[in-house]
Amino acid sequence: MNERQRLAHQWLRTYQITVHQVDSLVDAYAAAQSRAMAITAAVGEGGGSSSPSEGRFQNAANEMLELSEKLSVQADELAGQYERQLEVVRAVAERNFLHGEILQCLYIEGLSCAECRRWLARDRRHEYAASSIYKLRDRALDRAFDAMVELGYR
């Protein structure tokens, strides 16, 4: 990859990184919610002294609030990043539909080059050599860089 392709690759790749961050926050939120429910159930069954349980419940509730704020910020960031990247992919697809499809596969869908190659073979009924996919990816990244510059994202 040349410098332009590397920059476009890094910028487009941030979408998948943000998706993974949101997924981990959702998992952490679900775990905190599960702990809060378990504590609530234990307090309801025990009925006696609930001060240690109340402290644990409060900690779980605070953790849930903190995680929900992070999730909100991440979701906004993800939506903005997604829109900017889709705009670049659309701009590339307007000039060359195949290059747009390759960018969609690799950076929006998160497929590998091998998976993208298989998808194109099924969808287009045309076999691409492994080396061809990498050449197409590099050309698509060149076009993506140009689109990023035109749209003001670089």
Side-chain angles (χ1 to χ4, degrees):
M1 265 191 233
N2 64 33
E3 183 66 17
R4 292 166 36 102
Q5 293 163 351
R6 189 182 58 75
L7 289 171
H9 169 75
Q10 288 174 340
W11 186 78
L12 288 168
R13 198 173 157 260
T14 58
Y15 176 76
Q16 288 299 320
I17 292 169
T18 306
V19 167
H20 291 301
Q21 290 172 342
V22 168
D23 286 346
S24 68
L25 284 172
V26 167
D27 291 344
Y29 182 83
Q33 186 177 25
S34 176
R35 284 193 302 278
M37 293 299 201
I39 293 166
T40 302
V43 168
E45 291 173 6
S49 171
S50 60
S51 64
S53 295
E54 284 177 10
R56 288 190 319 223
F57 181 76
Q58 187 63 42
N59 289 342
N62 288 340
E63 185 180 352
M64 286 169 55
L65 284 173
E66 204 173 292
L67 287 168
S68 68
E69 289 173 19
K70 287 181 183 178
L71 271 171
S72 175
V73 169
Q74 287 284 338
D76 290 344
E77 180 182 319
L78 182 63
Q81 182 69 13
Y82 183 72
E83 286 304 315
R84 288 186 297 275
Q85 287 174 326
L86 276 182
E87 191 175 2
V88 168
V89 170
R90 280 188 212 117
V92 170
E94 285 176 8
R95 293 185 181 123
N96 185 308
F97 189 72
L98 178 59
H99 290 161
E101 279 187 313
I102 290 190
L103 293 176
Q104 176 77 28
C105 283
L106 297 175
Y107 297 103
I108 304 300
E109 302 298 327
L111 301 176
S112 68
C113 280
E115 292 168 327
C116 184
R117 180 175 159 241
R118 286 190 295 274
W119 181 81
L120 287 171
R122 281 191 311 268
D123 184 57
R124 290 187 165 244
R125 305 279 190 240
H126 179 75
E127 290 289 328
Y128 289 94
S131 61
S132 296
I133 292 298
Y134 290 104
K135 288 176 187 174
L136 286 168
R137 179 205 60 195
D138 290 346
R139 285 187 210 131
L141 287 171
D142 275 330
R143 289 180 187 244
F145 184 83
D146 292 340
M148 289 164 50
V149 169
E150 287 173 16
L151 295 169
Y153 298 137
R154 260 290 153 212

